[in-house]
């Protein structure tokens, strides 16, 4: 039986992870530590609350005393670190929060675990610090380049990517210097339920439902490697259960798409969905999709500065050592995701607060 502290567990991937973990290991204690920034939402884990195996703590990873207290009080043996500022566009407009949370915050967690696990428990218990990172630390690829492996040199291009790279280095340094038992995963773009609607896929789905423009940056030919969020969670599970302490693992979908093709695919699927009378009634504003013309909402806008052209993950190591393979195909995953947004309008309307509207309004010239 494990006792997990999951930072950022009220965000997109973190909340999917705790739900995944609850189903896979019902006897484990799961504590979520989340500051509930604009991207965190307690409703994301509402279905897990009320159990004596789950606890939600609103707090900041920068609060080292709080983290140490949680580690001691609940005898935490596994820390899974998702908490971060995660949106590249926001890091371009305001990098400071990214430095604070992603670098200084991650360092606070490292200091807290070092203090409790290594100093107080003198390294006698089996513990693990798993750091959830991104493929963006590797920089960008040309069209013919081989995908990123775990040995690709780091070359981050956005303040977000640089802050994640920095935290990866700190995690590694705590292992090399102090012997903290760590693992790191570098994953490609996730999609699925609870994805905050400032990110491409949920933004496109929800904008179609409101008949708003679909902003495509630059020429739309940038490539991302998409992975269904539950597959990412399973990949982390495999890493946590393995004894490969001190190692990094790439996790990817083997599923490269140009942004414009993803947007067109979603338009097509939304056109289809809107032929159903139930959805026509539920989403009266979705007039373009109801007419079978969601593509007309596509608007090419100014490109993101420093926009990485292509990401692609080579997850051979994770496959060979841990047996990891994505289970969800993109064809089924994207349909499930659209169905989730159609069925959970209250969720995405609620997270589109005044702050969200303000942010979106500063973004596009459309
Ligand atoms: P998200 O923005 O949806 O969620 C981040 C969560 O962290 C939120 O609940 C937020 O409230 C919380 N948080 C932020 N600052 C905090 C702080 N100082 N203290 C405590 N909690 C804080 O992010 P996500 O997309 O779920 O990403 C989770 C992690 O996975 C991040 O570390 C990200 O870098 C990494 N990642 C994301 C993707 C992706 O496609 N989304 C891919 C690879 C890796
Ligand atoms: O690769 C992993 C990363 O994926 C994670 O580390 C990040 O936390 C996560 O946000 C994601 O970063 P991206 O920048 O790739 O995701 P985003 O959804 O913001 O954008 C996906 C692509 O779509 C990217 O090339 C930019 C483009 N885009 C995005 C938005 C929001 C548009 O063309 N229009 C948009 O409105």
């Amino acid at each position: 039986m494990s006792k997990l502290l999951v930072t950022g567990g009220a965000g997109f991937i973190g909340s999917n992870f705790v739900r995944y973990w609850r189903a896979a290991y019902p006897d484990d204690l799961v504590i979520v530590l989340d500051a509930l920034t604009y991207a965190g939402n307690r409703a994301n884990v509402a279905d897990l609350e009320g159990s004596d195996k789950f606890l939600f703590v609103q707090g900041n990873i920068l609060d080292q005393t709080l983290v140490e207290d949680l580690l001691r009080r609940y005898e935490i043996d596994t820390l899974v670190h998702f908490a971060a500022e995660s949106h590249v566009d926001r890091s371009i407009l305001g990098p400071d929060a990214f430095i604070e949370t992603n670098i200084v915050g991650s360092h606070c967690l490292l200091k807290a675990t070092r203090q409790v696990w290594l100093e107080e428990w003198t390294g006698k218990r089996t513990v693990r610090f798993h750091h959830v990172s991104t493929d963006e630390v590797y920089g960008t690829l040309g069209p013919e380049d081989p995908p990123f492996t775990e040995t690709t040199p780091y070359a981050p291009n956005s303040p977000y990517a640089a802050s994640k790279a920095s935290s990866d280095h700190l995690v590694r340094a705590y292992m090399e210097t102090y012997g903290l038992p760590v693992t790191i995963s570098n994953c490609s773009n996730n999609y699925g339920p609870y994805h905050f609607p400032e990110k491409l896929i949920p933004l496109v789905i929800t904008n179609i439902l409101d008949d708003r423009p679909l902003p495509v940056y630059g020429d739309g030919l940038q490539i991302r490697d998409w992975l269904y969020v539950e597959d990412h969670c399973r990949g982390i599970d495999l890493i946590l259960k393995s004894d490969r302490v001190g190692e990094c693992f790439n996790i990817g979908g083997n599923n490269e798409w140009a942004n414009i093709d993803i947007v067109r695919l979603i338009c097509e699927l939304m056109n289809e969905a809107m032929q159903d009378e139930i959805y026509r009634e539920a989403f009266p504003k979705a007039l373009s999709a109801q007419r079978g013309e969601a593509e007309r909402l596509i608007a090419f806008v100014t490109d993101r500065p420093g926009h990485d052209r292509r990401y692609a993950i080579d997850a051979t190591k994770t496959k060979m050592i841990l047996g990891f393979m994505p289970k969800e195909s993109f064809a089924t995953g994207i349909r499930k995701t659209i169905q989730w947004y159609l069925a959970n309008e209250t969720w995405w309307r609620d997270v589109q607060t005044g702050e969200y509207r303000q942010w979106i309004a500063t973004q596009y010239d459309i």
Side-chain angles (χ1 to χ4, degrees):
M1 206 186 82
S2 286
K3 294 171 178 179
L4 277 75
L5 181 62
V6 181
T7 72
F12 163 45
I13 308 175
S15 63
N16 277 283
F17 177 81
V18 293
R19 191 165 294 103
Y20 166 94
W21 201 269
R22 170 59 60 245
Y25 308 103
D27 292 333
D28 285 0
L29 176 70
V30 176
I31 298 181
V32 165
L33 173 63
D34 198 296
L36 295 183
T37 67
Y38 78 92
N41 187 359
R42 195 156 172 177
N44 293 5
V45 289
D47 51 321
L48 302 172
E49 302 219 36
S51 145
D52 61 352
K53 298 285 179 194
F54 179 83
L55 181 67
F56 181 86
V57 178
Q58 183 169 358
N60 203 304
I61 58 167
L62 287 150
D63 186 346
Q64 190 185 331
T65 310
L66 169 66
V67 177
E68 285 182 18
D69 182 48
L70 292 172
L71 294 174
R72 286 188 201 103
R73 188 163 357 147
Y74 297 101
E75 299 184 323
I76 298 294
D77 51 48
T78 308
L79 190 149
V80 191
H81 177 31
F82 291 94
E85 288 293 335
S86 69
H87 192 33
V88 174
D89 293 322
R90 288 186 188 249
S91 84
I92 294 166
L93 243 78
D96 297 66
F98 289 72
I99 307 306
E100 270 297 292
T101 288
N102 300 0
I103 305 177
V104 183
S106 297
H107 187 225
C108 280
L109 297 176
L110 290 165
K111 286 192 288 181
T113 45
R114 178 186 168 208
Q115 169 61 31
V116 176
W117 288 349
L118 302 186
E119 298 296 321
E120 295 171 23
W121 299 353
T122 58
K124 283 192 187 124
R125 301 191 200 178
T126 305
V127 291
R128 178 77 64 86
F129 186 116
H130 182 75
H131 179 54
V132 180
S133 192
T134 169
D135 59 0
E136 301 205 10
V137 298
Y138 300 122
T140 186
L141 293 168
E144 305 304 329
D145 289 338
F148 304 127
T149 69
E150 289 81 357
T151 54
T152 302
Y154 276 26
N157 289 319
S158 70
Y160 162 71
S163 68
K164 292 297 290 187
S166 178
S167 59
D168 290 11
H169 292 320
L170 283 167
V171 171
R172 184 188 144 78
Y174 264 65
M175 182 204 56
E176 292 293 334
T177 307
Y178 306 113
L180 194 72
V182 305
T183 36
I184 300 178
S185 49
N186 293 90
C187 188
S188 62
N189 285 62
N190 287 213
Y191 70 100
Y194 300 99
H195 204 180
F196 195 80
E198 66 187 350
K199 308 281 173 72
L200 181 70
I201 288 181
L203 179 84
V204 168
I205 297 170
T206 54
N207 276 12
I208 291 174
L209 293 174
D210 278 344
D211 216 40
R212 296 161 76 92
L214 312 178
V216 173
Y217 298 166
D219 60 9
L221 296 178
Q222 306 83 3
I223 290 172
R224 297 290 182 267
D225 173 359
W226 293 94
L227 178 73
Y228 194 65
V229 62
E230 215 173 283
D231 279 323
H232 184 185
C233 298
R234 203 163 39 77
I236 295 172
D237 180 5
L238 290 170
I239 297 169
L240 286 171
K241 297 291 179 201
S242 84
D243 57 2
R244 310 293 288 224
V245 173
E247 295 202 25
C248 301
F249 291 91
N250 278 355
I251 303 178
N254 205 13
N255 177 41
E256 291 182 54
W257 281 78
N259 293 338
I260 186 66
D261 293 336
I262 290 259
V263 174
R264 289 202 175 112
L265 173 67
I266 297 172
C267 287
E268 212 177 285
L269 295 173
M270 294 297 285
N271 288 341
E272 242 173 68
M274 282 305 139
Q275 301 321 304
D276 185 328
E277 200 51 47
I278 291 178
Y279 294 133
R280 292 170 89 88
E281 266 178 40
F283 299 100
K285 284 200 224 157
L287 291 172
S288 301
Q290 291 188 10
R291 287 194 296 266
E293 296 176 348
E295 293 81 359
R296 292 174 79 113
L297 297 170
I298 292 175
F300 288 91
V301 299
T302 312
D303 206 354
R304 174 187 277 177
H307 198 170
D308 287 333
R309 198 68 184 163
R310 174 175 167 238
Y311 302 145
I313 278 276
D314 177 343
T316 307
K317 173 182 171 184
T318 317
K319 181 181 172 189
M320 298 311 282
I321 295 178
L322 307 177
F324 174 79
M325 287 278 284
K327 280 190 180 163
E328 190 75 55
S329 76
F330 193 64
T332 54
I334 193 71
R335 280 179 173 77
K336 271 162 87 165
T337 303
I338 289 175
Q339 282 305 321
W340 190 86
Y341 282 86
L342 291 171
N344 289 278
E345 183 184 7
T346 312
W347 179 86
W348 57 264
R349 293 241 181 255
D350 283 355
V351 302
Q352 290 177 338
T353 58
E355 192 275 350
Y356 173 85
R357 290 273 164 235
Q358 253 177 345
W359 162 254
I360 293 290
T362 61
Q363 282 301 286
Y364 319 114
D365 41 9
I366 49 176

